[in-house]
Amino acid sequence: MKLKIYKTKQKVALNFSKYLADLVVSKNVVHIALSGGSTPKIVFDELALNYVNSIEWAKVHFYWGDERCIPPTDGESNYGMTAEHLLSKITIPAENIHRVKGENNADYEADRYSNLLNKNLPKRNSIPAFDLVILGMGDDGHTASIFPHEIDLWRSGEYCEVAEHPETGQQRVTITGQIINNAAEVIFLVTGESKAEKVQEIIKKGGDYKDYPASLVNPRSGNLIWFLDEAAAQGIISDRS
Ligand code: 6PG
């Protein structure tokens, strides 16, 4: 596990964008699972501003690590946010965009998306393997859409499951632990003061870290990087000085 800590969330976005550009240069095709949330939104804005022509977008296939079971036009759609902040501003073939169809029946869509991953992605350990999975982390330690109250979804034998938001009950389709930990690289984008407690517990393996799905992210490849701002990393910075 590597930690990359930057002063501000803007600097997280700037540095992760550079990291992503370098990854795309190094491959002929790149299968990336995107996350929703506020930090990815800033990354998408940075990519749309400064990487429109410097990334060969035709090499990139976008998928979603989780999606709300709502239409793509709904303001809460992760795909919708990505379309607004990035996809509408770059030239990328429509066939490279593999959205979770939130408008479908949740169980049907979890099954459909599992089959799509199985068909589209290269295999590693006989399991579909992303080149990169981008994850956020909720204040409660959830990641993708695996929440603490449904942490058993992490160990599902399926590639995708239907999850439920603990407060709103909103259904989500999420990739599961076997897909996340089979990726060539996994990157957390976590910023803001509200994440500091969980980041500290998870990185230092203290408190109730075992209750948080984000603590289960441990790719077999060993390639896990946390991109953090100082606000989210305040509980671990002191150890590093
Ligand atoms: C979602 C996201 C989710 C997100 C975290 C962190 O669909 O809600 O995929 O897992 O990454 O909630 O979100 P913030 O970065 O906005 O706190």
Side-chain angles (χ1 to χ4, degrees), residues 93-125:
E95 61 269 23
N96 289 26
I97 308 297
H98 311 280
R99 71 178 181 90
V100 176
K101 295 180 179 174
E103 66 275 26
N104 283 346
N105 165 279
D107 291 320
Y108 168 84
E109 184 57 18
D111 198 37
R112 186 192 74 85
Y113 211 66
S114 294
N115 292 331
L116 181 143
L117 298 182
N118 193 47
K119 178 169 156 285
N120 284 19
L121 298 181
K123 295 283 191 310
R124 185 180 300 116
N125 312 305

Side-chain angles (χ1 to χ4, degrees), residues 35-40 66-68 78 135-139 142-145 172 189 191 195:
S35 167
S38 57
T39 309
D66 66 314
E67 180 58 277
R68 291 87 187 274
N78 287 338
L135 295 173
M137 185 190 73
D139 298 356
H142 83 259
T143 194
S145 275
R172 314 280 191 85
L189 298 177
T191 59
K195 316 291 181 183

